[in-house]
Amino acid sequence: MAGLSPSLLISDNWPGYSLDLFTYPQHYYGDLEYVLIPHGIIVDRTERLAKDIMQDIGDNDIVVLCVLKGGYKFCADLVEHIKNLSRNSERFISMKVDFVRLKSYHVNLVLLAFLWLKIATDLVLMVFVICLKTDYGFEIPDLFVVGYALDYNEHFRDLNHICVINDHGKAKYRV
């Protein structure tokens, strides 16, 4: 088993990309510090993860648990890449997708509890916990990031890039 590619490490001293290099919704002008991860890099990394998953699962089916709301875009993109790879290969991979809606501070607790329940009740051959910002996606510094469905009080989900929010943006959208 080859295993999933390691995360793409973004170091603590990475200055990010200037906002002037990218397009983003005008209503967020003045609210962001910089682009941490451009959309194209997110797409490419997600496609690589899909290839790794397809290689590692063999002939097994896939059950995907999408954690809403922040994970919907990454999950949808990952599932679409896996489906495309399955359609264009000699083997068909059956995939079931389920959803759970959690507050960010409950994600780890509930996700691990769900996985243990699935392991205890089903014959599970492999379990991968894949998040955009973790061991197999991107390892980023301890920053407040928004975009690509990650929000701050329900704002910024419509950004294609992952960006660092500035103090003005935090104050503007504080509840």
Side-chain angles (χ1 to χ4, degrees), residues 103-117:
K103 295 290 183 189
S104 60
Y105 46 86
H106 291 131
V107 170
N108 289 336
L109 178 65
V110 174
L111 182 59
L112 293 170
F114 173 81
L115 290 173
W116 284 116
L117 178 63

Side-chain angles (χ1 to χ4, degrees), residues 19-145:
L19 293 165
D20 295 336
L21 299 173
F22 301 93
T23 59
Y24 60 99
Q26 188 172 1
H27 53 273
Y28 296 134
Y29 283 21
D31 300 333
L32 302 169
E33 197 70 34
Y34 56 87
V35 173
L36 184 66
I37 309 171
H39 185 255
I41 294 174
I42 297 168
V43 170
D44 191 69
R45 182 72 185 129
T46 306
E47 185 176 8
R48 173 61 193 259
L49 290 172
K51 288 178 182 178
D52 290 347
I53 291 168
M54 286 292 292
Q55 179 180 348
D56 286 350
I57 62 166
D59 293 328
N60 299 300
D61 294 340
I62 299 175
V63 177
V64 176
L65 176 65
C66 178
V67 180
L68 299 174
K69 294 181 186 176
Y72 83 87
K73 197 157 178 52
F74 171 66
C75 183
D77 289 349
L78 182 63
V79 165
E80 190 61 31
H81 284 301
I82 293 171
K83 285 174 20 181
N84 286 337
L85 290 169
S86 177
R87 275 193 292 265
N88 295 314
S89 73
E90 295 177 7
R91 62 189 170 119
F92 172 75
I93 302 299
S94 174
M95 189 175 352
K96 296 177 185 173
V97 180
D98 205 350
F99 302 89
V100 61
R101 184 173 175 181
L102 303 173
K103 295 290 183 189
S104 60
Y105 46 86
H106 291 131
V107 170
N108 289 336
L109 178 65
V110 174
L111 182 59
L112 293 170
F114 173 81
L115 290 173
W116 284 116
L117 178 63
K118 289 298 289 177
I119 290 169
T121 57
D122 296 331
L123 177 59
V124 176
L125 300 176
M126 285 179 264
V127 174
F128 298 112
V129 177
I130 303 173
C131 300
L132 184 65
K133 301 186 314 176
T134 189
D135 296 337
Y136 301 110
F138 295 92
E139 188 176 334
I140 67 170
D142 187 15
L143 298 168
F144 198 123
V145 295

